[in-house]
Coordinates of all heavy atoms in Angstrom, one line a residue:
Q755 N -53.7 36.1 -76.3 CA -53.4 36.8 -77.5 C -52.7 38.1 -77.2 O -53.1 38.8 -76.4 CB -54.7 37.0 -78.3 CG -54.5 37.6 -79.6 CD -55.8 37.8 -80.3 OE1 -56.8 38.0 -79.7 NE2 -55.8 37.8 -81.7
L756 N -51.6 38.3 -78.0 CA -50.9 39.6 -77.8 C -50.6 40.2 -79.2 O -50.4 39.5 -80.1 CB -49.6 39.5 -77.0 CG -48.4 38.7 -77.5 CD1 -47.5 39.6 -78.3 CD2 -47.7 38.0 -76.4
F757 N -50.6 41.5 -79.2 CA -50.3 42.3 -80.4 C -49.8 43.6 -80.0 O -50.0 44.1 -78.9 CB -51.6 42.4 -81.3 CG -52.8 43.0 -80.6 CD1 -53.0 44.3 -80.6 CD2 -53.6 42.2 -79.8 CE1 -54.1 44.8 -80.0 CE2 -54.7 42.7 -79.2 CZ -55.0 44.0 -79.2
P758 N -49.0 44.3 -80.8 CA -48.4 43.8 -82.1 C -47.3 42.8 -81.8 O -46.8 42.7 -80.6 CB -47.8 45.0 -82.8 CG -47.5 45.9 -81.6 CD -48.5 45.6 -80.6
N759 N -46.9 42.1 -82.8 CA -45.8 41.1 -82.6 C -45.0 41.1 -84.0 O -45.6 40.7 -84.9 CB -46.3 39.7 -82.3 CG -45.2 38.8 -81.8 OD1 -44.0 39.2 -81.7 ND2 -45.5 37.6 -81.6
P760 N -43.8 41.7 -84.0 CA -42.9 42.0 -82.9 C -43.3 43.3 -82.2 O -44.1 44.1 -82.6 CB -41.6 42.2 -83.6 CG -41.9 42.4 -85.1 CD -43.2 41.8 -85.3
V761 N -42.7 43.4 -81.0 CA -43.1 44.5 -80.0 C -41.8 45.4 -79.9 O -40.7 44.9 -79.8 CB -43.4 43.9 -78.6 CG1 -43.7 44.9 -77.6 CG2 -44.5 42.9 -78.7
S762 N -42.1 46.7 -79.8 CA -41.0 47.6 -79.5 C -41.0 48.1 -78.1 O -40.1 47.7 -77.3 CB -41.0 48.8 -80.5 OG -42.3 49.5 -80.3
D763 N -42.0 48.8 -77.6 CA -42.0 49.3 -76.3 C -43.2 49.0 -75.5 O -43.2 49.0 -74.2 CB -41.7 50.8 -76.2 CG -42.7 51.6 -77.0 OD1 -43.5 51.0 -77.8 OD2 -42.7 52.8 -76.9
Q764 N -44.3 48.7 -76.1 CA -45.6 48.3 -75.4 C -46.3 47.3 -76.2 O -46.2 47.2 -77.5 CB -46.4 49.5 -75.1 CG -47.0 50.2 -76.3 CD -47.8 51.4 -75.8 OE1 -47.9 51.8 -74.7 NE2 -48.5 52.0 -76.8
M765 N -47.1 46.5 -75.5 CA -48.0 45.5 -76.2 C -49.3 45.4 -75.6 O -49.5 45.9 -74.4 CB -47.3 44.1 -76.2 CG -47.2 43.5 -74.8 SD -46.4 41.9 -75.0 CE -45.7 41.8 -73.4
N766 N -50.3 44.9 -76.3 CA -51.6 44.7 -75.8 C -51.9 43.2 -75.6 O -51.6 42.4 -76.5 CB -52.6 45.3 -76.8 CG -52.4 46.8 -77.0 OD1 -52.7 47.5 -76.1 ND2 -52.1 47.2 -78.2
L767 N -52.4 42.9 -74.5 CA -52.8 41.5 -74.2 C -54.3 41.4 -74.2 O -55.0 42.2 -73.6 CB -52.3 41.1 -72.9 CG -50.8 41.0 -72.7 CD1 -50.4 40.7 -71.2 CD2 -50.2 40.0 -73.6
K768 N -54.8 40.4 -74.9 CA -56.3 40.1 -74.8 C -56.4 38.8 -74.0 O -55.8 37.7 -74.5 CB -56.8 39.9 -76.2 CG -58.3 39.6 -76.3 CD -58.7 39.5 -77.7 CE -60.2 39.1 -77.8 NZ -60.6 38.9 -79.2
I769 N -57.0 38.8 -72.9 CA -57.0 37.7 -71.9 C -58.4 37.3 -71.8 O -59.3 38.1 -71.4 CB -56.4 38.1 -70.6 CG1 -55.0 38.6 -70.7 CG2 -56.5 36.9 -69.6 CD1 -54.4 39.3 -69.5
E770 N -58.7 36.0 -72.0 CA -60.0 35.4 -71.8 C -59.8 34.0 -71.4 O -58.8 33.3 -71.7 CB -60.9 35.5 -73.0 CG -60.4 35.0 -74.3 CD -61.2 35.3 -75.5 OE1 -62.5 35.2 -75.4 OE2 -60.7 35.5 -76.6
G771 N -60.8 33.4 -70.7 CA -60.7 32.1 -70.3 C -60.1 31.8 -68.9 O -59.9 30.7 -68.5
L772 N -59.6 32.9 -68.3 CA -59.0 32.7 -66.9 C -60.1 33.0 -65.9 O -61.0 33.8 -66.1 CB -57.9 33.7 -66.7 CG -56.6 33.5 -67.5 CD1 -55.5 34.5 -67.2 CD2 -56.0 32.1 -67.2
P773 N -60.0 32.3 -64.7 CA -60.9 32.6 -63.6 C -60.9 34.0 -63.2 O -59.8 34.7 -63.2 CB -60.5 31.6 -62.5 CG -59.4 30.7 -63.1 CD -59.0 31.4 -64.4
N774 N -62.0 34.5 -62.7 CA -62.1 35.9 -62.1 C -61.2 36.0 -60.9 O -61.0 35.0 -60.2 CB -63.5 36.2 -61.7 CG -64.4 36.2 -62.9 OD1 -64.0 36.2 -64.0 ND2 -65.7 36.1 -62.6
G775 N -60.6 37.2 -60.7 CA -59.8 37.4 -59.5 C -58.4 37.9 -59.9 O -58.2 38.5 -61.0
I776 N -57.5 37.7 -59.0 CA -56.1 38.2 -59.3 C -55.3 37.2 -60.1 O -55.4 36.0 -59.9 CB -55.3 38.4 -57.9 CG1 -56.1 39.4 -57.0 CG2 -53.9 38.9 -58.2 CD1 -56.2 40.8 -57.6
A777 N -54.7 37.8 -61.2 CA -53.8 36.9 -62.0 C -52.4 37.5 -62.0 O -52.2 38.7 -61.7 CB -54.3 37.0 -63.5
R778 N -51.5 36.6 -62.2 CA -50.1 37.0 -62.3 C -49.6 37.0 -63.7 O -49.8 36.0 -64.4 CB -49.2 36.1 -61.4 CG -47.8 36.5 -61.3 CD -47.0 35.6 -60.4 NE -47.2 34.2 -60.8 CZ -46.9 33.2 -60.0 NH1 -46.5 33.4 -58.8 NH2 -47.0 32.0 -60.4
V779 N -48.9 38.1 -64.1 CA -48.3 38.2 -65.5 C -46.8 38.2 -65.3 O -46.3 38.9 -64.5 CB -48.7 39.5 -66.1 CG1 -48.1 39.7 -67.5 CG2 -50.3 39.7 -66.2
Q780 N -46.2 37.2 -66.0 CA -44.7 37.1 -65.9 C -44.1 37.2 -67.3 O -44.6 36.6 -68.2 CB -44.3 35.7 -65.3 CG -44.8 35.5 -63.9 CD -44.5 34.2 -63.4 OE1 -44.9 33.2 -64.0 NE2 -43.8 34.1 -62.2
L781 N -43.0 37.9 -67.3 CA -42.2 38.1 -68.6 C -40.9 37.3 -68.4 O -40.2 37.5 -67.4 CB -42.0 39.5 -68.8 CG -41.3 39.9 -70.1 CD1 -42.1 39.5 -71.3 CD2 -41.0 41.4 -70.2
I782 N -40.7 36.4 -69.3 CA -39.5 35.5 -69.2 C -38.6 35.7 -70.4 O -39.1 35.7 -71.6 CB -40.0 34.0 -69.1 CG1 -40.9 33.9 -67.9 CG2 -38.8 33.1 -69.1 CD1 -41.6 32.6 -67.8
N783 N -37.3 35.9 -70.2 CA -36.4 36.2 -71.3 C -35.9 34.9 -72.0 O -36.3 33.8 -71.6 CB -35.2 37.0 -70.7 CG -34.2 36.2 -69.9 OD1 -34.3 35.0 -69.8 ND2 -33.4 37.0 -69.2
P784 N -35.1 35.0 -73.0 CA -34.7 33.8 -73.8 C -33.9 32.8 -73.0 O -33.8 31.7 -73.3 CB -33.8 34.4 -74.9 CG -34.2 35.8 -75.1 CD -34.7 36.3 -73.7
L785 N -33.3 33.2 -71.8 CA -32.5 32.3 -71.0 C -33.4 31.7 -69.9 O -32.9 30.9 -69.1 CB -31.4 33.1 -70.3 CG -30.4 33.8 -71.2 CD1 -29.4 34.6 -70.4 CD2 -29.7 32.7 -72.0
G786 N -34.7 31.9 -69.9 CA -35.6 31.4 -69.0 C -35.7 32.1 -67.7 O -36.3 31.6 -66.7
Q787 N -35.1 33.3 -67.6 CA -35.1 34.1 -66.4 C -36.3 35.0 -66.3 O -36.7 35.6 -67.3 CB -33.8 35.0 -66.4 CG -32.5 34.2 -66.4 CD -31.3 35.0 -66.7 OE1 -31.4 35.9 -67.4 NE2 -30.2 34.6 -66.0
L788 N -36.8 35.2 -65.1 CA -38.0 36.0 -64.9 C -37.5 37.5 -65.0 O -36.6 37.9 -64.2 CB -38.6 35.7 -63.5 CG -39.8 36.5 -63.2 CD1 -41.0 36.2 -64.1 CD2 -40.3 36.1 -61.7
V789 N -38.1 38.3 -65.9 CA -37.7 39.7 -66.1 C -38.7 40.6 -65.4 O -38.3 41.7 -64.9 CB -37.6 40.0 -67.6 CG1 -37.4 41.4 -67.8 CG2 -36.6 39.1 -68.3
L790 N -39.9 40.3 -65.3 CA -41.0 41.2 -64.8 C -42.1 40.4 -64.3 O -42.5 39.4 -64.9 CB -41.4 42.1 -66.0 CG -42.5 43.1 -65.7 CD1 -42.0 44.2 -64.9 CD2 -43.1 43.7 -67.0
T791 N -42.7 40.8 -63.2 CA -43.9 40.2 -62.7 C -44.9 41.3 -62.3 O -44.5 42.3 -61.7 CB -43.6 39.4 -61.4 OG1 -42.7 38.3 -61.7 CG2 -44.9 38.8 -60.9
E792 N -46.1 41.2 -62.7 CA -47.2 42.1 -62.4 C -48.4 41.3 -61.9 O -48.6 40.2 -62.4 CB -47.6 43.0 -63.5 CG -46.6 44.0 -64.0 CD -47.1 44.9 -65.1 OE1 -48.3 45.0 -65.3 OE2 -46.3 45.6 -65.7
K793 N -49.2 41.9 -61.1 CA -50.5 41.3 -60.7 C -51.6 42.2 -61.3 O -51.5 43.4 -61.3 CB -50.7 41.3 -59.2 CG -49.8 40.2 -58.6 CD -50.0 40.0 -57.1 CE -49.1 38.9 -56.6 NZ -49.4 38.7 -55.2
I794 N -52.6 41.5 -61.9 CA -53.7 42.2 -62.5 C -55.0 41.6 -62.0 O -55.1 40.5 -61.5 CB -53.7 42.1 -64.1 CG1 -53.7 40.7 -64.5 CG2 -52.4 42.9 -64.6 CD1 -53.9 40.5 -66.0
Q795 N -56.1 42.4 -62.2 CA -57.4 41.9 -61.8 C -58.1 41.4 -63.0 O -58.2 42.1 -64.0 CB -58.2 43.1 -61.2 CG -59.6 42.7 -60.8 CD -59.7 41.7 -59.6 OE1 -58.9 41.8 -58.6 NE2 -60.6 40.8 -59.6
I796 N -58.6 40.2 -63.0 CA -59.3 39.6 -64.1 C -60.8 39.7 -63.8 O -61.3 39.3 -62.8 CB -58.9 38.1 -64.3 CG1 -57.5 37.9 -64.6 CG2 -59.8 37.4 -65.4 CD1 -57.1 38.5 -66.0
Q797 N -61.5 40.2 -64.8 CA -63.0 40.3 -64.8 C -63.6 39.3 -65.6 O -63.0 38.7 -66.5 CB -63.4 41.7 -65.2 CG -62.8 42.9 -64.5 CD -63.2 42.9 -63.0 OE1 -64.3 42.5 -62.7 NE2 -62.3 43.4 -62.2
P798 N -64.9 39.0 -65.5 CA -65.6 38.0 -66.3 C -65.5 38.5 -67.8 O -65.6 39.7 -68.1 CB -67.1 38.0 -65.9 CG -67.0 38.6 -64.5 CD -65.8 39.5 -64.4
G799 N -65.4 37.6 -68.7 CA -65.3 37.9 -70.2 C -63.9 38.2 -70.6 O -63.0 37.6 -70.1
V800 N -63.8 39.1 -71.6 CA -62.6 39.4 -72.3 C -61.9 40.6 -71.5 O -62.6 41.6 -71.2 CB -62.8 39.8 -73.7 CG1 -61.5 40.2 -74.4 CG2 -63.4 38.6 -74.5
N801 N -60.6 40.4 -71.2 CA -59.9 41.5 -70.5 C -58.8 42.0 -71.5 O -58.1 41.2 -72.1 CB -59.2 41.0 -69.3 CG -60.2 40.6 -68.2 OD1 -60.5 41.4 -67.3 ND2 -60.8 39.4 -68.3
Q802 N -58.6 43.3 -71.6 CA -57.6 43.9 -72.4 C -56.6 44.6 -71.4 O -57.0 45.2 -70.5 CB -58.2 45.0 -73.3 CG -59.2 44.5 -74.3 CD -58.5 44.0 -75.5 OE1 -57.3 44.1 -75.7 NE2 -59.3 43.4 -76.4
L803 N -55.3 44.4 -71.7 CA -54.2 44.9 -70.8 C -53.2 45.5 -71.8 O -52.7 44.8 -72.7 CB -53.6 43.8 -70.0 CG -52.4 44.2 -69.2 CD1 -52.7 45.2 -68.1 CD2 -51.8 42.9 -68.6
R804 N -52.8 46.7 -71.5 CA -51.7 47.4 -72.2 C -50.5 47.3 -71.3 O -50.5 47.7 -70.1 CB -52.0 48.8 -72.6 CG -50.8 49.5 -73.3 CD -51.2 50.8 -73.8 NE -52.1 50.5 -74.9 CZ -52.3 51.4 -75.9 NH1 -51.7 52.6 -75.9 NH2 -53.1 51.1 -76.9
M805 N -49.4 46.7 -71.8 CA -48.2 46.5 -71.0 C -47.0 47.2 -71.5 O -46.7 47.0 -72.7 CB -48.0 45.0 -70.9 CG -46.9 44.6 -70.0 SD -47.0 42.8 -69.8 CE -45.6 42.6 -68.6
E806 N -46.4 48.0 -70.7 CA -45.2 48.7 -71.1 C -44.0 47.8 -70.8 O -43.9 47.3 -69.7 CB -45.1 50.0 -70.3 CG -46.2 51.0 -70.5 CD -46.1 51.8 -71.8 OE1 -44.9 52.0 -72.3 OE2 -47.1 52.2 -72.3
L807 N -43.1 47.7 -71.7 CA -41.9 46.9 -71.5 C -40.8 47.8 -70.9 O -40.8 49.0 -71.2 CB -41.5 46.3 -72.8 CG -42.4 45.3 -73.5 CD1 -41.9 44.8 -74.8 CD2 -42.7 44.1 -72.6
P808 N -40.0 47.2 -70.1 CA -38.8 47.9 -69.6 C -38.0 48.5 -70.7 O -37.7 47.9 -71.7 CB -38.0 46.9 -68.8 CG -39.0 45.8 -68.5 CD -40.0 45.8 -69.6
I809 N -37.6 49.8 -70.5 CA -36.8 50.5 -71.5 C -35.5 49.8 -71.9 O -35.1 49.7 -73.1 CB -36.5 51.9 -71.1 CG1 -37.8 52.7 -70.9 CG2 -35.5 52.6 -72.0 CD1 -37.6 54.1 -70.3
D810 N -34.9 49.1 -70.9 CA -33.6 48.5 -71.1 C -33.7 47.0 -71.5 O -32.7 46.3 -71.5 CB -32.7 48.6 -69.9 CG -33.4 48.0 -68.6 OD1 -34.6 47.7 -68.7 OD2 -32.7 47.8 -67.6
L811 N -34.9 46.6 -71.9 CA -35.1 45.2 -72.3 C -34.5 44.9 -73.6 O -34.8 45.5 -74.6 CB -36.6 44.9 -72.3 CG -37.0 43.4 -72.5 CD1 -36.7 42.6 -71.2 CD2 -38.5 43.3 -72.8
P812 N -33.5 44.0 -73.7 CA -32.8 43.7 -74.9 C -33.7 43.0 -76.0 O -34.7 42.4 -75.6 CB -31.7 42.7 -74.5 CG -31.6 42.8 -73.1 CD -32.9 43.2 -72.5
A813 N -33.4 43.2 -77.2 CA -34.1 42.5 -78.3 C -34.0 41.0 -78.1 O -33.0 40.5 -77.6 CB -33.6 43.0 -79.6
G814 N -35.0 40.3 -78.5 CA -35.0 38.8 -78.5 C -36.3 38.2 -78.4 O -37.4 38.9 -78.5
L815 N -36.4 36.9 -78.2 CA -37.6 36.1 -78.1 C -38.0 36.0 -76.7 O -37.2 35.5 -75.9 CB -37.5 34.8 -78.8 CG -38.7 33.9 -78.8 CD1 -39.8 34.5 -79.6 CD2 -38.3 32.5 -79.3
Y816 N -39.2 36.4 -76.3 CA -39.7 36.4 -74.9 C -40.9 35.6 -74.8 O -41.6 35.4 -75.8 CB -39.9 37.8 -74.4 CG -38.6 38.6 -74.2 CD1 -38.0 39.2 -75.2 CD2 -38.0 38.6 -72.9 CE1 -36.8 39.9 -75.1 CE2 -36.9 39.3 -72.7 CZ -36.3 40.0 -73.8 OH -35.1 40.6 -73.6
R817 N -41.2 35.2 -73.6 CA -42.5 34.4 -73.3 C -43.2 35.2 -72.2 O -42.6 35.7 -71.3 CB -42.2 33.0 -72.8 CG -43.4 32.1 -72.7 CD -43.0 30.7 -72.6 NE -41.8 30.5 -71.8 CZ -41.8 29.9 -70.6 NH1 -43.0 29.4 -70.1 NH2 -40.7 29.7 -69.9
I818 N -44.5 35.4 -72.4 CA -45.4 36.0 -71.4 C -46.3 34.9 -70.9 O -46.9 34.1 -71.6 CB -46.1 37.2 -71.9 CG1 -46.7 38.0 -70.8 CG2 -47.1 36.9 -73.0 CD1 -46.9 39.4 -71.0
V819 N -46.4 34.8 -69.5 CA -47.2 33.8 -68.9 C -48.2 34.5 -68.0 O -47.8 35.3 -67.2 CB -46.3 32.8 -68.1 CG1 -47.2 31.8 -67.4 CG2 -45.3 32.2 -68.9
V820 N -49.5 34.2 -68.2 CA -50.5 34.8 -67.3 C -51.2 33.6 -66.6 O -51.7 32.7 -67.3 CB -51.6 35.6 -68.2 CG1 -52.6 36.2 -67.3 CG2 -50.9 36.6 -69.0
S821 N -51.3 33.7 -65.3 CA -51.8 32.6 -64.5 C -52.8 33.1 -63.4 O -52.5 34.1 -62.9 CB -50.7 31.7 -63.9 OG -49.9 32.5 -63.1
A822 N -53.8 32.3 -63.2 CA -54.8 32.6 -62.2 C -55.4 31.3 -61.7 O -55.9 30.5 -62.5 CB -55.9 33.5 -62.7
K823 N -55.4 31.0 -60.4 CA -56.0 29.9 -59.8 C -55.7 28.6 -60.5 O -56.5 27.7 -60.8 CB -57.5 30.1 -59.7 CG -57.9 31.3 -58.9 CD -59.4 31.5 -58.9 CE -59.7 32.7 -58.1 NZ -61.2 33.1 -58.1
G824 N -54.4 28.4 -60.9 CA -54.0 27.2 -61.5 C -54.2 27.1 -63.0 O -53.7 26.1 -63.7
V825 N -54.8 28.1 -63.6 CA -55.0 28.1 -65.1 C -53.9 29.0 -65.7 O -53.7 30.1 -65.2 CB -56.4 28.7 -65.5 CG1 -56.5 28.7 -67.0 CG2 -57.5 27.8 -64.8
I826 N -53.2 28.5 -66.7 CA -52.1 29.2 -67.3 C -52.3 29.4 -68.8 O -52.7 28.5 -69.5 CB -50.8 28.4 -67.1 CG1 -50.5 28.2 -65.6 CG2 -49.6 29.1 -67.7 CD1 -49.4 27.3 -65.3
E827 N -52.1 30.7 -69.2 CA -52.1 31.0 -70.6 C -50.7 31.6 -70.9 O -50.1 32.3 -70.1 CB -53.1 32.1 -70.9 CG -54.6 31.7 -70.6 CD -55.1 30.8 -71.7 OE1 -54.7 30.9 -72.8 OE2 -56.0 30.0 -71.4
Q828 N -50.1 31.3 -72.1 CA -48.8 31.8 -72.4 C -48.7 32.1 -73.9 O -49.4 31.5 -74.7 CB -47.7 30.9 -71.9 CG -47.8 29.5 -72.3 CD -46.7 28.7 -71.6 OE1 -45.6 29.2 -71.4 NE2 -47.0 27.5 -71.2
A829 N -47.8 33.0 -74.2 CA -47.6 33.3 -75.6 C -46.1 33.8 -75.8 O -45.5 34.3 -74.8 CB -48.5 34.4 -76.1
S830 N -45.6 33.7 -76.9 CA -44.2 34.2 -77.2 C -44.3 35.4 -78.1 O -45.3 35.6 -78.9 CB -43.4 33.1 -77.9 OG -43.3 32.0 -77.1
F831 N -43.3 36.3 -78.0 CA -43.2 37.5 -78.8 C -41.8 37.8 -79.0 O -40.9 37.4 -78.3 CB -44.0 38.6 -78.2 CG -43.4 39.2 -76.9 CD1 -42.6 40.3 -77.0 CD2 -43.8 38.7 -75.7 CE1 -42.0 40.8 -75.8 CE2 -43.2 39.2 -74.5 CZ -42.4 40.2 -74.6
V832 N -41.6 38.6 -80.1 CA -40.2 39.1 -80.4 C -40.2 40.6 -80.0 O -41.0 41.4 -80.4 CB -39.9 39.0 -81.9 CG1 -38.6 39.6 -82.3 CG2 -40.0 37.5 -82.3
K833 N -39.1 40.9 -79.2 CA -38.9 42.3 -78.8 C -37.8 42.8 -79.8 O -36.8 42.2 -80.0 CB -38.3 42.4 -77.4 CG -37.6 43.6 -77.0 CD -38.6 44.8 -76.8 CE -38.0 46.0 -76.1 NZ -37.1 46.8 -76.9
I834 N -38.2 44.0 -80.4 CA -37.2 44.5 -81.4 C -36.6 45.8 -80.9 O -37.1 46.4 -79.9 CB -37.9 44.8 -82.8 CG1 -39.1 45.7 -82.6 CG2 -38.2 43.5 -83.5 CD1 -39.7 46.1 -83.9

């Protein structure tokens, strides 16, 4: 789950259901190109992450993919 949507410069991710440990967060642009990758630590239960978007990120429809130990969560958002 991510909010707000549409997004201007930062967004909040609510992550749950992923295995504990290191997770990879990937931001994919409308052309399917990887724009950003971060590694985060997942704790048991609900995890909240505030993510700053790159200043030069063009407006458009993006996909965010969070994966850990073969489990993948994804969501789409609009960058304004």
Side-chain angles (χ1 to χ4, degrees):
Q755 181 181 29
L756 69 90
F757 54 94
N759 193 4
V761 177
S762 58
D763 58 350
Q764 66 181 8
M765 65 180 155
N766 298 295
L767 296 173
K768 181 179 176 183
I769 303 167
E770 55 186 321
L772 288 180
N774 299 342
I776 301 296
R778 184 174 56 197
V779 179
Q780 296 177 305
L781 183 61
I782 300 168
N783 73 12
L785 301 175
Q787 300 166 323
L788 184 62
V789 175
L790 178 72
T791 300
E792 290 186 15
K793 289 188 177 180
I794 60 169
Q795 180 68 40
I796 298 292
Q797 303 296 328
V800 178
N801 293 263
Q802 297 276 352
L803 171 68
R804 178 170 289 201
M805 188 169 179
E806 299 282 334
L807 297 177
I809 295 171
D810 59 346
L811 190 68
L815 180 64
Y816 289 84
R817 188 165 39 111
I818 190 153
V819 180
V820 183
S821 59
K823 299 179 183 174
V825 179
I826 300 171
E827 298 283 334
Q828 50 186 327
S830 296
F831 68 93
V832 175
K833 164 70 166 75
I834 54 174

